[in-house]
Amino acid sequence: MPLRIDVITIFPDYFAPLQLSLMGKAQQSGLVTIAIHDLREFTSDRHRSVDDTPYGGGAGMVMTPEPWGQAIDAVVTDQSTLIVPTPAGKLFSQPVAAELAHSTHLIFACGRYEGIDQRVVEYYRPRIDVRELSIGDYVLAGGDVATLAMIEASVRLVPGVLGNPESLVEESHQLPGVEYPSYTKPPTWRGLDVPEVLLSGHHDQIARWRAEQSTIRTTHNRPDLLPGS
Ligand SMILES: Nc1ccc2ncsc2c1
């Protein structure tokens, strides 16, 4: 049963990259099907409007609920998971990507402006799995780039998508923290040598060196990921 993904957006062209590389191959292989829908196709007024001023005042505009209701109703099933990217959401992570990779049907609602009228989430929550997800503590111009990131992170975990599942095994055995630095040919580049241990063939020493490097990097860049932090 392939993973089906429906993306609803006012900028369908943002999703052209999904035809390339790994994401494109995943679709050609039949492991994943991705459909992009223009929210404006689900409006009924002459101007195809999708937003209005916020109740309660405040700057910016809010996306009106009805086009979203029409668009989501056009694709939803009782197996669907509705994902609403928002800076206010729970943090997307590798474990969440793994969950999404094993779903049957994902609907991404890419909001713009100040977001989507909250009643859209309230309406679907009793009916299907609804997840408001953030990709980090920063604000984009809309949910489209966040959706691209979450699709790529999730689809690469769909069994069969990655040519070499070994890289997923390594990822899953990742020590708590960030990965060690990587090197390839040439052995010397602009006067800089590859760490000697990596050329030694001593796999135990290499493993130890990589674990040390991961700890050094995690301590410096992501102390929040250190065990016990
Ligand atoms: N609708 C919207 C606006 C900004 C933003 N930034 C990250 S996800 C998101 C979603």
Side-chain angles (χ1 to χ4, degrees), residues 132-154:
E132 295 179 283
L133 293 177
S134 160
I135 60 166
D137 296 333
Y138 44 83
V139 181
L140 301 169
D144 308 82
V145 165
T147 294
L148 271 174
M150 290 191 276
I151 288 176
E152 182 165 311
S154 303

Side-chain angles (χ1 to χ4, degrees), residues 103-225:
S103 303
T104 301
H105 182 214
L106 302 175
I107 303 172
F108 285 89
C110 303
R112 280 266 147 173
Y113 312 105
E114 300 313 306
I116 302 171
D117 186 301
Q118 194 61 24
R119 287 170 291 181
V120 173
V121 164
E122 288 165 20
Y123 176 83
Y124 288 102
R125 191 150 264 158
R127 294 168 169 81
I128 56 172
D129 181 20
V130 178
R131 306 180 80 160
E132 295 179 283
L133 293 177
S134 160
I135 60 166
D137 296 333
Y138 44 83
V139 181
L140 301 169
D144 308 82
V145 165
T147 294
L148 271 174
M150 290 191 276
I151 288 176
E152 182 165 311
S154 303
V155 165
R156 67 187 289 276
L157 298 181
V158 169
V161 166
L162 271 193
N164 172 15
E166 188 55 34
S167 43
L168 285 182
V169 172
E170 278 188 21
E171 264 176 36
S172 63
H173 293 166
Q174 177 73 39
L175 296 166
V178 301
E179 202 167 61
Y180 49 79
S182 297
Y183 300 82
T184 186
K185 302 179 188 66
T188 296
W189 176 71
R190 295 189 182 185
L192 298 171
D193 295 336
V194 170
E196 198 60 40
V197 65
L198 298 181
L199 309 176
S200 70
H202 294 306
H203 297 294
D204 291 349
Q205 291 179 26
I206 290 169
R208 202 164 31 252
W209 181 87
R210 283 175 165 174
E212 285 162 4
Q213 290 299 312
S214 170
T215 301
I216 292 165
R217 250 183 163 191
T218 306
T219 305
H220 187 263
N221 295 340
R222 290 296 304 274
D224 58 298
L225 294 180

